[in-house]
Amino acid sequence: MCGIMTRGTASTPRVSAAFRWSSRAGYAALGWALLYGGFGLVATLTGTAVFHRAGEPLPVGLNWIIVVVAASASVSVLAAVRPWGRRVPRPVVSVTLIGLCVLTGAAAFGLLMDLVTLIFAQSVDNWTATVNRATAAIGVVLLIATTRVYRSSGACVRCGAVHTSPTVRTRPEPTPAPPRVRMLAYAGAAAFLPYAAMKTTWALGGTFAGVSGAQALATMERNGASGVMLTLERWGVDATVLLAALGVFLIFGLVRPWGQVFPRWTPALRGRRVPRWLPLAPALIGAATLAPYGAVGLVYAALGTSGAITVSRGDFPTPEDALLVTWIGLGAFAVYGIALAVAARSYLRRTRPICAPPGAAAAGVSNR
């Protein structure tokens, strides 16, 4: 049941479903805020840097940002779920919660890169920074849930409508994304083709941008690539190309009906509903990482190409070779990241649960 359905007797107060949802999400966010604030405080008092840039620790004093954000989150979520919060203007609480979502999202930036590094190198650049990003990512989810319920103002937290009678939650029929969203998704997938061609050329021993396959392999070894990653490279398979293929599979699933109901080629699951979080979790993490990372990289590449800044050649023979690889790699990240964000938003809207009267919901199920 959802909406403003209530339960109780004439002698007991009735609590709306929206309020129960708000309380659960809010108290979960409160628990996260206390944990996150404690993490930041301990790191500060022990002199452990939490924030890093390009592998280098930033000043420990920046850790106080975590403590301030966590304290603000604690007060804000309590204002959203406790009776005394009604004395605070709703716009103030809403804007504060949204701002906290943005700040924690920024703190979680780079988590996808950490996960990729962990998979292929069995380690990360800095475990403290990774724990911070993972904890911040959890906070983003909890704060968004709290904000969403609080802003619903008594409406159903699932469908957004105000119900005056009992309802049952149902799932909408699988539908493809609108044509424009599908075209953007296909463009995002196609953006990986030059990247895959470049990386596969090196994996097969060829030369691209002045770097041979042997040189690329030596660079990977020097940078601490795992044995699995190096073995795949020697077999002519680049691990990041495999990840790109998974990314293409993900974005196709977001825009096609088989991303909502398991298709026939999944024997044990076919016909079952795909849990919404299954594609949305990696999609949102990927979009939040790749889109800004790629966009900033493209600005850097554009400035380097125009001569406004000096580009380091790194492991490449010339700065021009380094720029070529930058355009290919970060261009793919930017286009795919933006397309992934749009596809995820479309999927979120198309799979949003529908609230219907119990009789209508039962009839809908029997007619399928």
Side-chain angles (χ1 to χ4, degrees):
M1 296 290 181
C2 61
I4 59 170
M5 281 189 62
T6 58
R7 62 182 179 183
T9 64
S11 59
T12 60
R14 296 185 175 186
V15 182
S16 69
F19 181 78
R20 292 195 301 272
W21 267 93
S22 177
S23 297
R24 286 197 291 265
Y27 286 124
L30 175 63
W32 164 83
L34 295 176
L35 178 65
Y36 193 44
F39 166 75
L41 184 60
V42 170
T44 302
L45 296 179
T46 57
T48 304
V50 171
F51 298 103
H52 289 69
R53 182 176 60 190
E56 296 297 325
L58 295 176
V60 176
L62 293 177
N63 294 359
W64 286 109
I65 296 176
I66 296 177
V67 179
V68 172
V69 168
S72 301
S74 300
V75 175
S76 299
V77 296
L78 282 175
V81 300
R82 299 300 299 171
W84 60 262
R86 298 170 187 169
R87 296 194 293 268
V88 182
R90 293 186 65 86
V92 173
V93 178
S94 295
V95 170
T96 303
L97 287 172
I98 293 173
L100 290 169
C101 290
V102 174
L103 290 175
T104 51
F109 180 77
L111 178 60
L112 178 62
M113 301 303 181
D114 287 342
L115 294 176
V116 172
T117 303
L118 181 61
I119 292 172
F120 291 110
Q122 283 81 58
S123 184
V124 294
D125 294 334
N126 184 277
W127 281 106
T128 303
T130 300
V131 170
N132 174 58
R133 294 179 185 123
T135 309
I138 295 172
V140 172
V141 175
L142 294 175
L143 288 173
I144 288 176
T146 303
T147 305
R148 179 187 173 196
V149 176
Y150 182 76
R151 287 167 59 88
S152 66
S153 301
C156 176
V157 296
R158 299 190 185 278
C159 71
V162 177
H163 304 303
T164 58
S165 60
T167 59
V168 175
R169 186 185 70 162
T170 61
R171 297 284 295 274
E173 290 293 332
T175 56
R180 291 184 180 180
V181 176
R182 295 202 302 270
M183 292 302 296
L184 183 58
Y186 300 152
F192 273 128
L193 291 177
Y195 176 83
M198 175 182 69
K199 300 288 282 186
T200 302
T201 297
W202 284 330
L204 294 175
T207 299
F208 183 84
V211 175
S212 67
Q215 290 173 313
L217 183 61
T219 300
M220 292 173 61
E221 292 177 339
R222 186 172 65 251
N223 292 337
S226 68
V228 173
M229 195 171 183
L230 294 174
T231 299
L232 289 173
E233 193 76 14
R234 293 189 181 98
W235 289 350
V237 178
D238 185 86
T240 59
V241 173
L242 295 180
L243 289 178
L246 289 176
V248 171
F249 177 80
L250 172 63
I251 200 169
F252 283 173
L254 290 171
V255 299
R256 301 303 305 173
W258 56 262
Q260 300 167 50
V261 176
F262 286 105
R264 289 176 296 178
W265 40 267
T266 54
L269 298 171
R270 63 180 179 183
R272 296 177 180 270
R273 288 282 185 171
V274 176
R276 297 177 80 205
W277 61 265
L278 188 59
L280 283 175
L284 294 176
I285 293 175
T289 302
L290 295 179
Y293 182 70
V296 172
L298 287 183
V299 172
Y300 171 80
L303 292 174
T305 302
S306 65
I309 61 174
T310 301
V311 177
S312 172
R313 66 182 182 88
D315 295 317
F316 298 93
T318 66
E320 289 73 22
D321 291 323
L323 273 174
L324 174 61
V325 173
T326 299
W327 278 111
I328 292 175
L330 296 183
F333 291 168
V335 176
Y336 176 81
I338 294 172
L340 187 62
V342 174
R345 181 177 182 273
S346 173
Y347 184 91
L348 188 65
R349 293 171 63 90
R350 287 181 290 114
T351 59
R352 191 174 188 177
I354 299 173
C355 295
V365 172
S366 63
N367 291 333
R368 290 180 186 174

